[in-house]
Amino acid sequence: PPRSSSPPAPPPAMTSAPPSSSNPNPNLYSQMDHLQSKYVGTGHPDLGRHDWAVNHHRDSLALYLARDDLVAFFAAAQGVSAVRVRAGFVARMRKPCGDRPKRKLDEVE
């Protein structure tokens, strides 16, 4: 089959903008709202930078804990036992990014 010279159209932007009359797929936004309410890590417009980072770090640590080969890799890289690495990951899951930064009254995230 002959190839077309024009590049393929880019996929629609995945933003949480409200559907408009020019939007070809208004169902996309309702699906995104559903996923964002169902899964914590997908975020939403009101999610702050610190909350997003906490979710991201906890998801990463949970992945590392679930994979024995990754725990063994981190143990070899740090030169400690796998049990110590696993205990460190569990301890870091409590506050993976430290305390929440203090906001000024006039500052909005």
Side-chain angles (χ1 to χ4, degrees):
R3 291 186 172 184
S4 64
S5 60
S6 62
M14 299 295 284
T15 61
S16 59
S20 64
S21 60
S22 64
N23 183 10
N25 189 1
N27 194 22
L28 175 70
Y29 295 105
S30 64
Q31 289 174 357
M32 283 188 54
D33 289 339
H34 172 71
L35 286 175
Q36 288 175 344
S37 66
K38 186 174 179 183
Y39 299 107
V40 175
T42 56
H44 53 82
D46 298 328
L47 189 67
R49 180 179 293 179
H50 184 264
D51 295 328
W52 180 85
V54 166
N55 287 339
H56 182 68
H57 281 92
R58 281 192 183 138
D59 288 346
S60 297
L61 290 169
L63 173 79
Y64 303 154
L65 286 169
R67 304 266 315 263
D68 291 332
D69 56 339
L70 285 176
V71 172
F73 173 78
F74 284 117
Q78 295 174 9
V80 296
S81 69
V83 174
R84 188 174 298 261
V85 170
R86 191 175 298 274
F89 285 161
V90 170
R92 281 178 48 195
M93 286 183 83
R94 183 169 178 261
K95 283 190 176 181
C97 298
D99 292 331
R100 177 180 297 282
K102 299 198 184 320
R103 291 189 339 188
K104 297 177 184 173
L105 292 178
D106 59 348
E107 185 178 318
V108 177
E109 276 193 30

